[in-house]
Each structure stands twice: as C-alpha cells, then as structure tokens.
C-alpha cells in the first residue's frame, strides 16, 4: 500500500506544479505560434499609405476579390516574374485580375536603407518602366502589414475572397527558381485561384510554401 508521507506530498505537489507550468508554456507557445493570416481565416484588416499619398485600408474593398503581392524590385525572383517577355506578373495584373471586382494591392515592406525600399515616386517609376498595373502600391517601411500577414518572401501572394476570407496564400507558382524559362512550365497558383473563385469552385492548391528573397524588414 502506498504510504502518504510529507516527502511524497512534496513530490506530488512538485509534479503537479511542473505539469501546470508545462501546460501553461504550451498554451503560451500555441498562442504565439498562431498564424496571423492563413487560408480559411478572415483576412486581417490594415491601412497604409500608397505611392501617390492616399490612405487606404483593406476594408475599403469589401465585397471584392483582393490580391496582395509583396514585392522588392531588387530581388531576382521578383525580376523573373516581371521580365518581358513573358511579363508574367503584368499579365496577372492586367488580364487575370482585370475588372472592377478584383483589386490588386502591391506592398513594399522593405525598411529604409535596405534592398527594395522605395519612396512613392520611385515605386511609380519602377512600375511604369516594367508595364505593371497594380491598382495600388502600399508603402510599408515599418513592416507592420508584412508582419501582420507573416509575409516572408518577395514575391509572397495572398488572394482574399469577396467575403474577406483568405482563399490562397503562398508562392506565385509551383517552380521555386529565378529562371524565367521555368514560368511556362510551372503551375500558376494565383491564376488558378482567381479562376476558381470566379467559377465558384474549390481551389485545388489553396496554400504553398512561398519562395523568393526574404523580405528586408
């Protein structure tokens, strides 16, 4: 028979405390590790200043499909998708995301002094030079919007449905290289997501690992 002694009581109390601490630590870790923006969640709202000095927020586009594109013009992976031909990113913006029901927001989260940081005039000049046509360019030098979405690379893409649910998050396509020749061989996940939303069909690949240059927060 187990004999209750003061030592046993002390050991039991210690074990209980350890279990409680472990559980608390697990809860804390789980809370900290919860992604801010993942597929199926409501897209976190944000506001920011655009390249032409406007203040816009995601909520301004409620009821529309919204594409978020993190970019850095000095990144070879971004340059790959803006290379002309084939003008992959430009085609997505001007054809796949055409129409009033789709809004394309390009976001620059590079910190001042780091690769990809631009002011409004520079952002406009870069897009004019490469024939890009996002609806807005949001300057995010603090990195607040990027961190809110846990954006990791340039490019890093999100597609948000009209009901504000995140429908796709991840890479632009299936081949994580900086070679332009790989574009035509890759499955374009952003195009597929937009087509599925338009058709009212499930998105076959709703998330993927983003590839590219680390965002220069």
């Amino acid at each position: 028979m187990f004999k209750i002694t003061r030592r046993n009581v002390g050991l039991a109390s210690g074990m209980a405390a350890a279990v409680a601490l472990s559980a608390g630590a697990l809860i804390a870790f789980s809370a900290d590790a919860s992604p801010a923006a993942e597929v199926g969640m409501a897209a976190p709202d944000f506001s920011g200043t655009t390249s032409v000095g406007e203040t816009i927020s995601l909520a301004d586009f409620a009821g529309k499909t919204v594409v978020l594109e993190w970019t850095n013009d000095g990144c070879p992976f971004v340059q790959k998708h803006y290379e002309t031909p084939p003008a992959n990113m430009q085609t997505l913006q001007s054809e796949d995301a055409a129409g009033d029901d789709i809004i394309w927001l390009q976001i620059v989260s590079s910190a001042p002094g780091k690769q990809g940081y631009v002011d409004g005039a520079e952002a406009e000049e870069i897009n004019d030079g490469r024939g890009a046509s996002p609806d807005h360019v949001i300057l995010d030098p603090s990195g607040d919007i990027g961190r809110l979405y846990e954006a990791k690379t340039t490019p890093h893409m999100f597609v948000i449905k009209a009901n504000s649910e995140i429908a796709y998050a991840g890479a632009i396509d299936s081949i994580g290289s900086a070679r332009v020749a790989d574009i035509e061989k890759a499955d374009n996940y952003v195009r597929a997501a937009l087509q599925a939303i338009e058709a009212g069909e499930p998105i076959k690949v709703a998330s993927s690992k983003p590839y590219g240059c680390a965002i220069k927060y």
Side-chain angles (χ1 to χ4, degrees):
M1 177 182 293
F2 181 76
K3 184 178 180 180
I4 298 176
T5 65
R6 184 175 295 178
R7 181 173 180 274
N8 287 339
V9 170
L11 286 172
S13 299
M15 291 174 64
V19 169
L21 284 171
S22 298
L26 180 61
I27 291 168
F29 175 80
S30 297
D32 290 340
S34 296
E38 66 177 12
V39 172
M41 292 178 56
D45 194 21
F46 60 82
S47 60
T49 303
T50 71
S51 55
V52 294
E54 298 174 326
T55 298
I56 63 172
S57 68
L58 182 62
D60 294 337
F61 309 111
K64 298 180 184 291
T65 298
V66 177
V67 179
L68 306 181
E69 171 211 351
W70 264 266
T71 193
N72 162 5
D73 71 295
C75 169
F77 295 88
V78 171
Q79 293 168 358
K80 162 192 172 183
H81 290 288
Y82 277 102
E83 182 73 24
T84 302
N88 187 42
M89 195 71 82
Q90 296 94 320
T91 302
L92 283 170
Q93 295 167 352
S94 63
E95 297 182 13
D96 297 272
D100 295 335
D101 293 334
I102 304 178
I103 301 295
W104 192 289
L105 302 180
Q106 190 182 68
I107 302 174
V108 183
S109 292
S110 296
K114 296 191 176 180
Q115 184 193 63
Y117 171 78
V118 290
D119 61 22
E122 291 168 330
E124 291 291 303
E125 182 178 358
I126 289 168
N127 278 335
D128 287 345
R130 58 190 181 185
S133 55
D135 292 288
H136 302 279
V137 182
I138 298 176
L139 306 178
D140 178 39
S142 68
D144 289 345
I145 302 173
R147 292 187 179 91
L148 179 64
Y149 276 74
E150 297 183 345
K152 295 177 174 59
T153 63
T154 52
H156 192 158
M157 312 295 297
F158 291 81
V159 179
I160 301 168
K161 295 198 292 189
N163 65 359
S164 299
E165 178 184 311
I166 297 174
Y168 175 78
I172 184 172
D173 65 20
S174 61
I175 299 181
S177 80
R179 293 185 297 272
V180 174
D182 287 336
I183 291 175
E184 66 177 359
K185 296 181 288 186
D187 295 325
N188 193 305
Y189 295 142
V190 175
R191 174 172 293 126
L194 291 172
Q195 291 174 345
I197 291 171
E198 183 178 14
E201 299 175 349
I203 297 173
K204 292 182 180 177
V205 180
S207 65
S208 64
K209 183 178 181 180
Y211 71 86
C213 305
I215 294 180
K216 309 300 187 289
Y217 290 117

